[in-house]
Coordinates of all heavy atoms in Angstrom, one line a residue:
N137 N -3.1 21.3 18.4 CA -3.6 20.3 17.5 C -3.4 20.7 16.1 O -3.4 21.9 15.8 CB -5.2 20.1 17.7 CG -5.5 19.7 19.1 OD1 -4.9 18.8 19.7 ND2 -6.5 20.4 19.7
A138 N -3.1 19.7 15.2 CA -2.9 20.0 13.8 C -3.1 18.8 12.9 O -3.2 17.7 13.4 CB -1.4 20.5 13.6
V139 N -3.3 19.1 11.7 CA -3.4 18.0 10.7 C -2.3 18.2 9.6 O -2.1 19.3 9.2 CB -4.8 18.1 9.9 CG1 -4.9 17.0 8.9 CG2 -6.0 17.9 10.9
V140 N -1.6 17.1 9.3 CA -0.6 17.2 8.3 C -0.7 16.1 7.3 O -1.0 15.0 7.6 CB 0.9 17.2 9.0 CG1 1.0 15.9 9.8 CG2 1.9 17.3 7.9
A141 N -0.6 16.4 6.0 CA -0.6 15.5 4.9 C 0.8 15.0 4.6 O 1.7 15.9 4.3 CB -1.3 16.0 3.7
C142 N 1.0 13.7 4.7 CA 2.4 13.2 4.4 C 2.3 11.8 3.9 O 1.5 11.0 4.4 CB 3.2 13.2 5.7 SG 4.9 12.5 5.5
S143 N 3.0 11.4 2.9 CA 2.9 10.1 2.3 C 3.2 9.0 3.3 O 2.5 8.0 3.3 CB 3.9 10.0 1.1 OG 5.2 10.3 1.4
A144 N 4.3 9.1 4.0 CA 4.7 8.1 5.1 C 4.5 6.7 4.6 O 3.9 5.8 5.2 CB 3.8 8.4 6.3
L145 N 5.2 6.4 3.5 CA 4.9 5.1 2.8 C 5.5 3.9 3.6 O 4.9 2.8 3.6 CB 5.5 5.2 1.4 CG 4.9 6.2 0.5 CD1 5.6 6.2 -0.9 CD2 3.4 6.0 0.3
R146 N 6.7 4.0 4.1 CA 7.3 2.9 4.8 C 7.0 2.9 6.3 O 6.9 4.0 6.9 CB 8.8 2.9 4.6 CG 9.2 2.6 3.2 CD 10.8 2.3 3.2 NE 11.3 2.2 1.8 CZ 11.3 1.1 1.1 NH1 10.8 0.0 1.6 NH2 11.9 1.1 -0.1
S147 N 7.0 1.8 7.0 CA 6.8 1.7 8.4 C 8.0 2.4 9.1 O 7.7 3.0 10.2 CB 6.7 0.3 8.9 OG 7.8 -0.5 8.6
S148 N 9.2 2.3 8.6 CA 10.3 3.0 9.2 C 10.1 4.5 9.1 O 10.5 5.3 10.1 CB 11.6 2.7 8.5 OG 11.6 3.0 7.1
Y149 N 9.5 5.1 8.1 CA 9.2 6.5 8.0 C 8.2 6.9 9.0 O 8.3 8.0 9.7 CB 8.6 6.9 6.6 CG 9.5 6.5 5.4 CD1 9.0 6.5 4.1 CD2 10.9 6.3 5.5 CE1 9.7 6.2 3.0 CE2 11.6 6.0 4.4 CZ 11.1 5.9 3.2 OH 11.8 5.6 2.1
R150 N 7.2 6.1 9.3 CA 6.2 6.4 10.3 C 6.8 6.3 11.7 O 6.4 7.1 12.5 CB 5.0 5.4 10.1 CG 4.3 5.5 8.8 CD 3.0 4.8 8.7 NE 3.2 3.3 8.6 CZ 3.3 2.7 7.5 NH1 3.4 3.3 6.3 NH2 3.4 1.3 7.5
R151 N 7.7 5.4 11.9 CA 8.4 5.4 13.2 C 9.2 6.7 13.4 O 9.2 7.3 14.5 CB 9.3 4.2 13.3 CG 8.5 2.9 13.5 CD 9.5 1.8 14.0 NE 10.5 1.5 13.0 CZ 10.4 0.6 12.0 NH1 9.2 -0.1 11.9 NH2 11.4 0.4 11.2
M152 N 9.8 7.2 12.3 CA 10.6 8.4 12.4 C 9.7 9.6 12.7 O 10.0 10.5 13.4 CB 11.4 8.6 11.1 CG 12.7 7.9 11.1 SD 13.8 8.4 9.7 CE 13.0 7.5 8.3
L153 N 8.5 9.6 12.0 CA 7.6 10.7 12.2 C 7.1 10.8 13.7 O 6.8 11.9 14.2 CB 6.4 10.6 11.3 CG 6.7 10.9 9.8 CD1 5.5 10.5 8.9 CD2 7.0 12.4 9.6
R154 N 7.0 9.6 14.3 CA 6.5 9.6 15.7 C 7.7 9.6 16.7 O 7.5 9.6 17.9 CB 5.8 8.3 15.9 CG 4.3 8.4 15.7 CD 3.6 7.1 16.0 NE 2.2 7.2 16.0 CZ 1.3 6.2 15.8 NH1 1.8 5.0 15.5 NH2 0.0 6.4 15.8
S155 N 8.9 9.7 16.2 CA 10.1 9.7 17.1 C 10.0 10.8 18.1 O 9.8 12.0 17.7 CB 11.4 9.7 16.3 OG 12.5 9.8 17.1
G156 N 10.3 10.6 19.4 CA 10.3 11.6 20.4 C 8.9 12.0 20.9 O 8.8 12.9 21.8
V157 N 7.8 11.4 20.3 CA 6.5 11.6 20.8 C 6.2 10.6 21.9 O 6.0 9.4 21.6 CB 5.4 11.5 19.7 CG1 4.0 11.7 20.2 CG2 5.8 12.6 18.6
L158 N 6.1 11.0 23.1 CA 6.0 10.1 24.2 C 4.6 9.4 24.3 O 4.5 8.3 24.7 CB 6.4 10.8 25.5 CG 7.8 11.3 25.6 CD1 8.0 12.0 27.0 CD2 8.8 10.3 25.3
D159 N 3.6 10.2 24.0 CA 2.2 9.7 24.1 C 1.8 9.3 22.7 O 1.6 10.2 21.8 CB 1.3 10.8 24.7 CG -0.1 10.3 24.9 OD1 -0.5 9.3 24.3 OD2 -0.9 11.0 25.6

Side-chain angles (χ1 to χ4, degrees):
N137 300 313
V139 179
V140 58
C142 179
S143 54
L145 299 178
R146 291 190 188 277
S147 59
S148 59
Y149 302 162
R150 296 190 287 276
R151 287 195 297 272
M152 278 190 279
L153 286 170
R154 271 183 168 155
S155 177
V157 177
L158 300 181
D159 186 344

